[in-house]
Amino acid sequence: MDEEGAGLKLVAFTLVQGATGPELYAAVRNDGESPSCDAGLMFYFIDKADQLMTTWGGSLLSGRLYRIDDGSGVMIPCIAPGEIAMTGSTDLPGELVIEELGYLQHRFPAFTVDVVPVDAVTASEVKTVRRGAGSAYTGTLENRLDVAVSDPKITVFPVNRVGRPLGMATSSAADDIPPGGIWSFETTPVDDVGVDHVAYPTVSVPP
């Protein structure tokens, strides 16, 4: 159900029955020639009788901020051409029963606008640590802007050897990070760490 010219392509996803319900994780690549901004992914779950069971939508995480090139200074998340973004949910709608699912359809709410990349925040020193029966991730997020940012969050996706996301771990704080400041995080645990991981930081930036 792609809008023509969106440039985004679903390259991998995982739909599994978790401990508390169905879970979904997806990877999307920007095959277009321009950054895709404020992009999301919406799934339509269709049963074996071709009836809509439920829908779900989430924001695509790229870990990158861009400044709109109109003099306003406003920054928005965008997916650069050729880059992979991810999203996921551990609390899909209760109407979804995987065994009754026939197929999925998807579309990408997104827009293109003249933007300039910004060296805003980076996640580094991301390591896996054992926590009970699972594993969490620790690391740091650095504010590389010349203004303070707030509400830092990190989302880490363990992936298999071809980059398919297998789960999702998160950590967030109601803190401000000053220019050049560091936020140290430890995420929620995941059961399967795969063979690698991808980390996407997000923050709120003042207008």
Side-chain angles (χ1 to χ4, degrees), residues 30-203:
N30 183 2
D31 284 348
E33 298 181 355
S34 303
S36 183
C37 298
D38 270 344
L41 174 59
M42 186 164 217
F43 275 108
Y44 300 79
F45 298 87
I46 314 298
D47 67 16
K48 295 175 182 177
D50 286 335
Q51 299 299 306
L52 178 66
M53 299 171 68
T54 189
T55 62
W56 174 85
S59 298
L60 286 166
L61 302 173
S62 67
R64 294 182 177 273
L65 287 175
Y66 286 69
R67 181 178 288 109
I68 299 178
D69 193 18
D70 62 357
S72 67
V74 172
M75 297 184 194
I76 55 175
C78 301
I79 309 167
E83 290 197 337
I84 297 286
M86 294 187 182
T87 190
S89 175
T90 58
D91 57 352
L92 290 172
E95 308 93 289
L96 176 61
V97 179
I98 294 179
E99 291 76 13
E100 299 176 1
L101 185 64
Y103 59 94
L104 281 71
Q105 293 179 321
H106 66 279
R107 67 170 12 128
F108 300 110
F111 70 93
T112 57
V113 64
D114 290 335
V115 289
V116 178
V118 177
D119 185 13
V121 291
T122 58
S124 59
E125 301 179 357
V126 181
K127 299 177 181 178
T128 306
V129 294
R130 292 294 298 177
R131 291 292 182 262
S135 297
Y137 299 93
T138 62
T140 59
L141 187 154
E142 179 185 0
N143 176 14
R144 306 183 74 166
L145 295 171
D146 57 4
V147 297
V149 298
S150 59
D151 302 320
K153 181 177 181 179
I154 190 79
T155 306
V156 184
F157 295 89
V159 297
N160 67 5
R161 62 181 181 82
V162 294
R164 179 169 62 87
L166 305 173
M168 182 174 68
T170 62
S171 180
S172 61
D175 296 334
D176 291 338
I177 307 176
I182 296 289
W183 172 58
S184 297
F185 62 82
E186 179 173 326
T187 70
T188 54
V190 293
D191 295 329
D192 185 356
V193 297
V195 301
D196 202 353
H197 58 263
V198 184
Y200 296 103
T202 58
V203 294

